[in-house]
Amino acid sequence: MNKITNELFSDFIQLARTALTGRQQDVQLVIHRASKKFKQDYPELTESLVSLLQESPTRTTPLRKHSETPLPVDLDSRLQLLKVESSVLDNELIVSENIKNDLSQLLSERRNSKALMKHGLHPTKSVLFTGPPGVGKTMAAKWVASQLDKPLLVLDLAAVMSSFLGRTGNNIRFVLDYAKKTDCILLLDELDSIAKRRDDSSEIGELKRLVTVLLQEIDDWPASGILMAATNHPDLLDPAIWRRFELVVNFDNPTADQIEKQVTSLLRDEMEDANTWGKILSFVLLGKSFSEIERQINLTRKAAAIDGSSLADKLENMIVSGEGLSKEQRTQIACALYDSGVVTQRKAQELTGVARETIRKHAKRQLNKSNI
């Protein structure tokens, strides 16, 4: 089978597997992803799939195996306290080698839990993700859940905070008790909103008691499940929280190589030269988070679709506009673009506004360094 046929075969199997679980939102996501992948080679197929998606109603993804047990709700507002995340990833998980090793170790322990138990050991049951917003913490949790074929339940701790802290405590207990009895992975998002330092004089006693309750729950978490937590502000966490988590995974903003991989992935179905643009934009978008990059690329794609213009022209505008870029940064980008071999000196000048003479001088200095 050729490459396209292989991909069609693989996607069909994934669609069938997802459909058999009865999770409608997951099925829709798989179809949406396939419609993008085969847009260039099978435009009629893409149009048909898009039409089906537009006709299909949406609904909340049910909890497999536990649909008969309703999700916990706030007793006053009757709003659900948990969100069930789809187990199908929109994009490829892109992380550093260290994070990949940590997540692989977590999966290996879960898949070999019987071997661990023979030696009186249990698989890791509590994981803390730290790092700035948009760097892949939630996606990593979704990826682990998808690999273990378990539903991911997310509790946004900032969202359940109530003006009546006693009610907040009850809500958290409801959620934790529910998750303990369910074959799932629980993610506590915005952990710092509750698990703040207990020596913080600005915090009232009830909130400090919540931290104590949370510590006890982490200690008592059953080895059969995984409790994950995420924070954008690790410096605010109570020191005792750190000791409770068996695994701490630190996320950072993506490197240039990771940005190149992400941009290439986002543009692969739209452009033949996606690899080149991945290299170019990796210099321009350095310092941004994965979510910021995805948002910017998608806005550019939408603008090109609405105007009926070339996506390449819109991407070039991202460089030409250079929002927030200093003269020094533009020079660094121009020289990096030329050094990478993906553009000529003239093209680097057109995109960044940096004089070709400046680029030539930089190239000459680099050549002299390599000859030393």
Side-chain angles (χ1 to χ4, degrees):
M1 292 188 292
N2 59 36
K3 181 181 178 182
I4 296 296
T5 306
N6 274 329
E7 291 182 351
L8 275 169
F9 180 82
S10 175
D11 280 12
F12 181 81
I13 294 298
Q14 184 181 9
L15 177 60
R17 182 183 295 115
T18 306
L20 289 172
T21 66
R23 300 190 304 276
Q24 183 172 326
Q25 284 187 335
D26 288 3
V27 173
Q28 291 172 339
L29 190 53
V30 172
I31 294 174
H32 176 69
R33 190 166 59 185
S35 69
K36 289 171 54 181
K37 182 185 296 185
F38 300 110
K39 180 179 179 181
Q40 291 182 339
D41 297 290
Y42 299 100
E44 293 182 359
L45 173 62
T46 294
E47 289 181 13
S48 298
L49 292 176
V50 170
S51 296
L52 285 172
L53 288 172
Q54 291 172 344
E55 295 170 5
S56 176
T58 59
R59 65 183 182 187
T60 303
T61 305
L63 259 182
R64 339 165 230 189
K65 304 178 185 177
H66 297 276
S67 56
E68 72 281 1
T69 307
L71 290 169
V73 298
D74 181 270
L75 295 179
D76 294 308
S77 67
R78 307 308 298 174
L79 295 175
Q80 289 185 345
L81 297 172
L82 285 170
K83 178 173 63 174
V84 184
E85 283 284 353
S86 167
S87 61
V88 179
L89 299 183
D90 291 315
N91 301 298
E92 176 188 1
L93 179 67
I94 302 173
V95 292
S96 68
E97 202 63 34
N98 286 340
I99 294 176
K100 189 182 298 182
N101 291 337
D102 285 338
L103 298 182
S104 296
Q105 173 69 19
L106 181 65
L107 294 180
S108 178
E109 291 179 12
R110 285 286 149 180
R111 289 165 178 164
N112 297 279
S113 58
K114 291 182 179 179
L116 292 177
M117 290 176 184
K118 287 181 180 178
H119 293 274
L121 303 169
H122 65 76
T124 298
K125 60 181 182 178
S126 57
V127 185
L128 176 61
F129 292 152
T130 72
V135 293
K137 299 189 293 296
T138 302
M139 181 174 281
K142 289 176 66 174
W143 183 81
V144 171
S146 69
Q147 294 297 305
L148 295 176
D149 195 28
K150 294 181 182 294
L152 175 67
L153 307 185
V154 180
L155 172 64
D156 187 336
L157 289 170
V160 301
M161 285 293 287
S162 169
S163 56
F164 301 100
L165 285 176
R167 184 185 305 164
T168 299
N170 287 334
N171 285 342
I172 292 175
R173 288 185 185 92
F174 290 155
V175 167
L176 295 176
D177 287 344
Y178 178 88
K180 283 181 178 180
K181 300 171 185 174
T182 306
D183 186 20
C184 69
I185 294 175
L186 176 64
L187 173 64
L188 304 179
D189 204 9
E190 303 287 351
L191 180 66
D192 49 90
S193 62
I194 285 185
K196 293 183 178 179
R197 300 176 63 95
R198 284 172 291 181
D199 59 2
D200 186 343
S201 59
S202 66
E203 297 300 344
I204 61 177
E206 181 62 28
L207 194 55
K208 293 178 181 179
R209 283 190 287 274
L210 276 179
V211 176
T212 303
V213 169
L214 195 57
L215 292 173
Q216 292 171 347
E217 291 290 347
I218 297 173
D219 285 339
D220 296 338
W221 202 257
S224 57
I226 302 179
L227 174 65
M228 293 183 169
T231 177
N232 301 331
H233 305 287
D235 52 304
L236 297 179
L237 293 180
D238 190 284
I241 287 288
W242 293 92
R243 297 193 297 272
R244 273 10 188 242
F245 284 95
E246 296 174 286
L247 175 62
V248 178
V249 183
N250 301 308
F251 291 73
D252 292 309
N253 277 332
T255 63
D257 287 342
Q258 291 171 340
I259 293 173
E260 178 182 348
K261 192 172 182 179
Q262 184 194 20
V263 172
T264 300
S265 177
L266 291 171
L267 297 177
R268 185 177 293 124
D269 299 326
E270 306 277 343
M271 312 176 74
E272 291 184 359
D273 53 350
N275 290 334
T276 299
W277 278 106
K279 172 68 77 174
I280 293 174
L281 294 177
S282 67
F283 303 115
V284 180
L285 298 172
L286 194 61
K288 296 185 180 296
S289 69
F290 284 120
S291 61
E292 289 175 317
I293 294 168
E294 182 175 5
R295 182 166 57 249
Q296 193 162 349
I297 293 295
N298 284 338
L299 285 173
T300 304
R301 290 171 56 199
K302 291 176 183 178
I306 292 171
D307 295 347
S309 57
S310 164
L311 179 54
D313 290 342
K314 292 293 184 182
L315 292 173
E316 287 186 4
N317 289 340
M318 287 175 57
I319 305 174
V320 173
S321 63
E323 190 174 326
L325 293 177
S326 65
K327 182 178 179 181
E328 182 180 355
Q329 287 174 316
R330 284 183 174 277
T331 301
Q332 290 175 343
I333 291 171
C335 295
L337 287 171
Y338 178 67
D339 289 344
S340 70
V342 296
V343 298
T344 62
Q345 285 184 6
R346 182 183 298 278
K347 189 64 175 179
Q349 179 189 23
E350 291 175 0
L351 292 173
T352 63
V354 176
R356 292 174 66 187
E357 182 61 28
T358 301
I359 300 173
R360 275 196 292 268
K361 287 180 179 178
H362 167 81
K364 187 175 181 180
R365 285 196 299 270
Q366 292 299 105
L367 181 63
N368 290 336
K369 285 181 181 179
S370 63
N371 290 333
I372 293 176

